[in-house]
Amino acid sequence: MKYTLVAWMRDKPGVLSRVSGMLRRRNFNIDSLQVSHSETPGISRMTFVVDGDERVVDQVLKQMQKVVDVTRVENISDQPTILRELALIRVRTTADTRREIMQFAEIYRAQIVDISADSLVIQIVGAEDKVDSLIDLLDRFGIEEMVRTGRVALARGMRIGSHKAVSSVWKARSTPVANGNRSEREKTGGV
Amino acid sequence: MTRSKAKQVDSHRQSLNSTPREMTGAQMVWEALVAEGTTVVFGHPGGAILPTYDALAPFEASGAIHHVLVRHEQCAGHMADGYARATGDVGVCIATSGPGATNLVTGLATAQMDSIPIVAITGQVPTNLLGTDAFQESDVIGVTQPVCKHNYLVTDVNELPLILKEAFYIAREGRPGPVLIDICKDVQNAKGIFRYDFEIDLPGFEPWPSYDLGSLLDAAQIINAAERPLIMAGHGVKLAGMSQELLELVEKAEIPVVTTLLGTGDIPETHPLSLGMGGMHGEAFANMAVQGCDVLIAMGMRFDDRITGRLDKFAKQAKIIHFELDKAEVGKNVMPTVAVIGDLGETLPALLPLVSERRHQNWTQTLQAWRGDTADSDIINYEGDELTPPFVIRQLWHATNTAKQQRVLVVTDVGQHQMWESQYFIHEKAGQLLTSGGLGTMGFALPAAIGAQMSDRNALVWAVAGDGGFQMTLQELIVLQQEKLPVKIAIINNGFLGMVRQWQQIFYDKRYVGTPILTPDLVKLAEAYSIPALRVTKPEQVVAAYEQAHATPGPFLIDFRVKEEVNVYPMVPPGAAVDELIRRPKPGMVQGYSGVQPSW
Ligand SMILES: Cc1ncc(C[n+]2csc(CCOP(=O)(O)OP(=O)(O)O)c2C)c(N)n1
């Protein structure tokens, strides 16, 4: 199964290599990984998709938490979540196919962001299966070049970060050490 | 370091006079070390770390910090490691950029695998040359990341004080481990303001998770209902300083104890409820206890494959309770019924009153019967003319019992002798044996023994090594002279890379490829280093040799020319369940066998 995890980390040189190095070293199967700024200055937000079972995800969470620069990790797979991906696709066109391609784009609410004599660049935003299906359709026209961001995720409704147990695999868990400005940080999503 | 001791250190540091002062980055390093209570560093200089070495001069002159020059940086890591194991505090090592730093890697990896707190300081090329393949540049952060708890590249002198403080904090707190600080040469020369009164603020770094009371209650309930309980004690018991409490628990509820290699001596091995070490070379009765128990209480251990054998057949009948500080270890290899995540220093004392007083007569009688069946007495009392390693090790134990020193530390290398030591030396205390368990680093014994002896010159420190591992780091012998250290050395010299030869004998049809090893005349070698030495070839010379070693002030080396093709038994073949072991044959079953039949 595929799980969506979100990690927040101190925006320090090398932090991405620390995290990705750990994931590689421990032989975890990562489908996609995306990093960007979060709403908190100095804190980056990483969305990544893990392929595995519950035990694997549990290990990923715990091993991530051990990386000193990682400030928080959440498994948001079982929460109502908005999952999106952006793709830019350059498709070959001819006078005959251009209309048809543009119609497909319209149906998918994708945008034409660049146009030239023999190609179009389509931008699509959506859940991955929607992106996949557009790519399938466009494939027969000839995809010349393509880039996908990988999954990004945000919980619906209330902000994520409730204090639920990190793992459902066993009932034992530890309560976090009290920390003066912790709640404040959590409000900002930084911790 | 135990949590309470770590707290003391913290408050000590807070109370230090920390008026901000201007100084160079190089000076900051030593100021911070003094604040951390470091008195010894192990290292080797070179261009990129020279400013820091230069700034050491006044600290050496005042006696605040002593520098031990190693002959290979790997050994700086092992010495800091031995120092840390012997004291429970952070060991510090220092090296130059490029080759100096890459040489450190084995030392760091060894410490990481065994949860040993080390701070390593390395020089790096100046910031303006970073990334240019400058002379002696290597990506030390990249190279050491997988083998460190954390590491830092310092490119701004103003960040250095906080980084130094964080590094010691991270190395020491929670589950300990090595932390490396890579300091660019220009940063060492640059001036900045030194202060050391920071509050450490590492969001997300949770060294001491507090335990869940519900889990503890569940654990107690399961323990109280157990008919055949067994404790498996690991390094965590030693790190938390909980041997006494463990013994109380053991006696209160009559629970026998099996240990891991690093848990050796968690309770005295002379105790009737101690079953010694389990796992690949554990005694058969210890492993049978693991497979036969109905509740397995794992304390401060991580279910390494050397202790579990084949996982899907491990302790199948047992409910497993896992007391562990590092939650990532819980459920990693073995899924417990209940896990109590937290500092053993808290959870064990909290567990004690919850556990009822009980006897488990049937269980202990069963164990007694198993023990009788597989006793090592046959081997120990074996009176042949040949010099065998188990005899040599058991006599070492006898000899240390009559030595005048109060504190005895045995530092082993890796291989057969390491297993023989854990089997035939009877450990009375946690931390009496210092050995590379997780990484299994040959060459560990001599440098780690030097590190341990540097922390306590009055201790009796024995380094026990094979002829193979000894030759990996024997260049450090000269440190015994330079530092006037009384380390005693026993070489179990069997003419082979013994443990590998044993595997070749059992699993590769006795094709001894790459395992016969030539060793120089060790007595002459020792002489070259001005170390008194003896060669022992017969059983009747052993006792006198140890006596002479103990009677001789300063270092001493004994070259034990033992019988060559002796195997370590029992042995759980890799991939087998721990009770599917090759038993120790009785003397007399001996000679002329081939294949799996063991040779005694
Ligand atoms: C650095 C390193 N290289 C290789 C090994 C693999 N290895 C494990 S035990 C062993 C043999 C050790 O031989 P020796 O030091 O003579 O000790 P003995 O087993 O004979 O007691 C080897 C090569 C290792 N553990 N460490």
Side-chain angles (χ1 to χ4, degrees):
Chain A
M1 199 183 135
K2 302 204 195 287
Y3 293 82
T4 306
L5 276 61
V6 179
W8 289 260
M9 54 201 69
R10 298 205 282 177
D11 182 13
K12 295 224 160 173
V15 64
L16 181 59
S17 102
R18 274 179 213 287
V19 170
S20 60
M22 184 281 292
L23 294 170
R24 172 195 55 75
R25 187 161 78 242
R26 297 209 174 260
N27 208 15
F28 295 130
N29 227 332
I30 305 301
D31 271 18
S32 79
L33 189 154
Q34 185 278 345
V35 193
S36 62
H37 294 299
S38 71
E39 68 286 2
T40 314
I43 299 285
S44 303
R45 178 180 175 123
M46 177 167 146
T47 311
F48 59 112
V49 180
V50 181
D51 194 2
D53 57 20
E54 221 184 318
R55 261 183 94 158
V56 169
V57 173
D58 183 75
Q59 265 298 300
V60 174
L61 283 167
K62 289 168 165 177
Q63 296 294 353
M64 281 287 264
Q65 276 166 351
K66 277 177 70 170
V67 178
V68 171
D69 285 330
V70 171
T71 56
R72 196 173 106 205
V73 196
E74 299 264 344
N75 176 6
I76 60 167
S77 310
D78 52 0
Q79 299 178 25
T81 309
I82 305 159
L83 302 175
R84 288 292 180 270
E85 183 174 16
L86 181 145
L88 296 172
I89 310 156
R90 188 192 310 281
V91 200
R92 207 172 305 132
T93 57
T94 61
D96 295 343
T97 60
R98 188 173 293 126
R99 273 229 72 75
E100 196 182 346
I101 292 170
M102 288 171 82
Q103 269 170 6
F104 281 136
E106 204 172 313
I107 294 166
Y108 277 81
R109 300 200 187 165
Q111 285 165 297
I112 312 292
V113 291
D114 189 33
I115 193 155
S116 67
D118 52 3
S119 72
L120 280 178
V121 176
I122 297 176
Q123 168 189 308
I124 176 163
V125 176
E128 285 135 300
D129 51 352
K130 179 172 153 187
V131 177
D132 287 343
S133 104
L134 178 62
I135 289 168
D136 277 354
L137 276 173
L138 297 178
D139 206 24
R140 65 186 160 100
F141 302 105
I143 293 177
E144 289 186 332
E145 205 182 349
M146 179 178 86
V147 58
R148 299 174 70 154
T149 57
R151 184 186 292 186
V152 292
L154 205 68
R156 287 186 188 278
M158 281 220 341
R159 192 191 61 80
I160 61 170
S162 57
H163 278 175
K164 60 193 223 59
V166 171
S167 160
S168 57
V169 177
W170 53 82
K171 55 186 188 164
R173 72 196 132 74
S174 61
T175 40
V177 190
N179 185 333
N181 36 13
R182 188 174 180 112
S183 58
E184 192 182 314
R185 280 205 214 91
E186 276 173 356
K187 261 184 249 139
T188 64
V191 180
Chain B
M1 180 178 294
T2 61
R3 187 178 187 181
S4 55
K5 206 165 152 205
K7 267 193 184 145
Q8 277 174 16
V9 171
D10 268 349
S11 64
H12 164 72
R13 286 181 304 177
Q14 289 303 335
S15 68
L16 287 171
N17 170 19
S18 54
T19 334
R21 282 166 293 156
E22 195 188 52
M23 61 180 74
T24 65
Q27 287 171 311
M28 290 178 183
V29 170
W30 303 113
E31 286 290 344
L33 259 55
V34 169
E36 295 291 347
T38 305
T39 53
V40 187
V41 298
F42 305 92
H44 201 290
I49 194 71
L50 259 183
T52 299
Y53 266 82
D54 188 49
L56 172 60
F59 292 85
E60 270 216 307
S62 72
I65 294 182
H66 178 67
H67 177 265
V68 175
L69 177 67
V70 300
R71 299 302 187 269
H72 186 297
E73 290 87 346
Q74 175 190 347
C75 297
H78 292 329
M79 287 183 200
D81 180 320
Y83 182 93
R85 288 182 207 240
T87 58
D89 206 345
V90 181
V92 180
C93 56
I94 178 162
T96 191
S97 67
T102 54
N103 273 352
L104 266 184
V105 170
T106 304
L108 296 170
T110 304
Q112 168 80 344
M113 286 292 260
D114 287 349
S115 312
I116 304 300
I118 287 183
V119 168
I121 292 161
T122 49
Q124 180 56 281
V125 301
T127 44
N128 63 334
L129 292 182
L130 276 177
T132 63
D133 303 318
F135 178 64
Q136 293 195 329
E137 179 182 8
S138 68
D139 173 15
V140 175
I141 294 302
V143 167
T144 61
Q145 217 159 61
V147 296
C148 282
K149 193 172 172 188
H150 196 54
N151 61 17
Y152 295 90
L153 172 66
V154 193
T155 54
D156 177 354
V157 71
N158 296 309
E159 291 178 358
L160 187 55
L162 177 61
I163 287 176
L164 285 159
K165 191 161 182 180
E166 276 188 9
F168 275 88
Y169 179 82
I170 291 170
R172 173 187 287 145
E173 299 282 322
R175 181 175 176 183
V179 179
L180 179 138
I181 312 174
D182 197 27
I183 313 174
C184 288
K185 189 170 182 181
D186 54 329
V187 173
Q188 298 169 43
N189 285 321
K191 283 198 166 175
I193 301 296
F194 179 79
R195 39 181 288 223
Y196 215 61
D197 53 355
F198 312 98
E199 284 274 0
I200 299 286
D201 180 28
L202 291 168
F205 179 68
E206 198 187 355
W208 304 108
S210 38
Y211 67 91
D212 180 62
L213 186 59
S215 307
L216 188 74
L217 293 171
D218 288 351
Q221 199 175 24
I222 295 174
I223 294 170
N224 289 335
E227 291 302 326
R228 287 168 282 122
L230 179 71
I231 290 172
M232 192 174 259
H235 196 194
V237 174
K238 185 225 160 186
L239 292 174
M242 282 290 115
S243 280
Q244 190 52 45
E245 288 75 3
L246 178 63
L247 192 60
E248 277 175 45
L249 173 68
V250 162
E251 291 184 339
K252 186 174 182 189
E254 200 178 30
I255 309 177
V257 180
V258 167
T259 69
T260 65
L261 178 59
L262 294 193
T264 322
D266 276 350
I267 70 164
E269 290 180 342
T270 43
H271 195 281
L273 287 168
S274 166
L275 306 179
M277 182 181 73
M280 183 171 271
H281 293 296
E283 291 303 323
F285 56 84
N287 286 329
M288 284 153 77
V290 172
Q291 298 301 69
C293 67
D294 66 347
V295 172
L296 182 72
I297 309 152
M299 294 213 162
M301 54 83 69
R302 60 186 173 87
F303 296 104
D304 181 83
D305 54 79
R306 295 286 130 146
I307 195 89
T308 62
R310 190 172 153 173
L311 260 186
D312 60 359
K313 289 192 178 173
F314 174 74
K316 270 296 149 210
Q317 313 177 32
K319 287 187 176 156
I320 295 176
I321 303 173
H322 196 176
F323 286 81
E324 172 59 47
L325 179 60
D326 178 357
K327 62 181 156 213
E329 293 300 347
V330 176
K332 187 180 83 178
N333 298 333
V334 167
M335 190 61 72
T337 312
V338 177
V340 183
I341 296 166
D343 176 16
L344 266 183
E346 283 182 354
T347 54
L348 191 48
L351 176 71
L352 263 174
L354 302 176
V355 171
S356 21
E357 250 179 77
R358 271 202 66 176
R359 302 296 94 175
H360 299 281
Q361 217 185 2
N362 285 345
W363 177 226
T364 50
Q365 274 170 2
T366 310
L367 292 175
Q368 207 48 46
W370 287 344
R371 192 198 285 261
D373 178 38
T374 63
D376 59 4
S377 57
D378 299 344
I379 305 294
I380 298 310
N381 301 329
Y382 174 58
E383 287 180 10
D385 324 327
E386 287 166 324
L387 186 62
T388 60
F391 176 77
V392 170
I393 298 287
R394 185 53 66 90
Q395 290 308 317
L396 173 62
W397 176 68
H398 286 300
T400 55
N401 277 334
T402 53
K404 60 181 191 301
Q405 288 93 335
Q406 285 280 307
R407 186 171 182 214
V408 177
L409 296 174
V410 183
V411 189
T412 54
D413 215 79
V414 171
Q416 291 184 309
H417 66 279
Q418 180 190 29
M419 294 297 107
W420 283 317
E421 193 283 344
S422 62
Q423 293 176 332
Y424 300 108
F425 194 97
I426 300 176
H427 306 88
E428 295 283 349
K429 287 196 186 95
Q432 195 171 27
L433 166 62
L434 279 50
T435 197
S436 164
L439 199 68
T441 308
M442 280 171 74
F444 176 80
L446 177 60
I450 290 172
Q453 188 86 73
M454 277 305 297
S455 77
D456 181 358
R457 283 173 180 271
N458 295 321
L460 174 60
V461 179
W462 270 97
V464 179
D467 40 339
F470 181 61
Q471 291 188 71
M472 283 196 171
T473 52
L474 63 77
Q475 76 279 354
E476 305 300 326
L477 279 175
I478 197 63
V479 177
L480 298 179
Q481 281 309 325
Q482 194 159 351
E483 299 296 333
K484 303 269 175 286
L485 294 174
V487 173
K488 315 289 180 189
I489 302 163
I491 306 300
I492 309 298
N493 188 345
N494 55 11
F496 281 98
L497 296 171
M499 185 57 95
V500 179
R501 183 207 57 73
Q502 172 169 349
W503 283 50
Q504 288 175 330
Q505 178 184 335
I506 298 175
F507 306 116
Y508 295 92
D509 230 357
K510 228 174 169 177
R511 284 184 297 278
Y512 292 162
V513 183
T515 44
I517 181 169
L518 200 63
T519 298
D521 182 326
L522 293 177
V523 176
K524 278 193 185 152
L525 182 85
E527 197 187 318
Y529 288 97
S530 310
I531 296 170
L534 270 184
R535 175 167 304 120
V536 170
T537 53
K538 297 194 181 71
E540 59 268 26
Q541 302 167 328
V542 172
V543 173
Y546 284 130
E547 272 170 9
Q548 193 176 336
H550 286 166
T552 310
F556 200 92
L557 183 146
I558 309 178
D559 174 19
F560 289 102
R561 294 290 181 90
V562 296
K563 183 170 186 243
E564 290 192 345
E565 296 179 51
V566 181
N567 289 344
V568 182
Y569 294 113
M571 179 184 193
V572 180
V578 282
D579 51 356
E580 297 166 359
L581 35 72
I582 309 172
R583 298 283 283 268
R584 182 185 286 113
K586 298 209 165 31
M589 268 173 66
V590 209
Q591 290 97 20
Y593 77 91
S594 65
V596 181
Q597 278 291 306
S599 82
W600 245 97

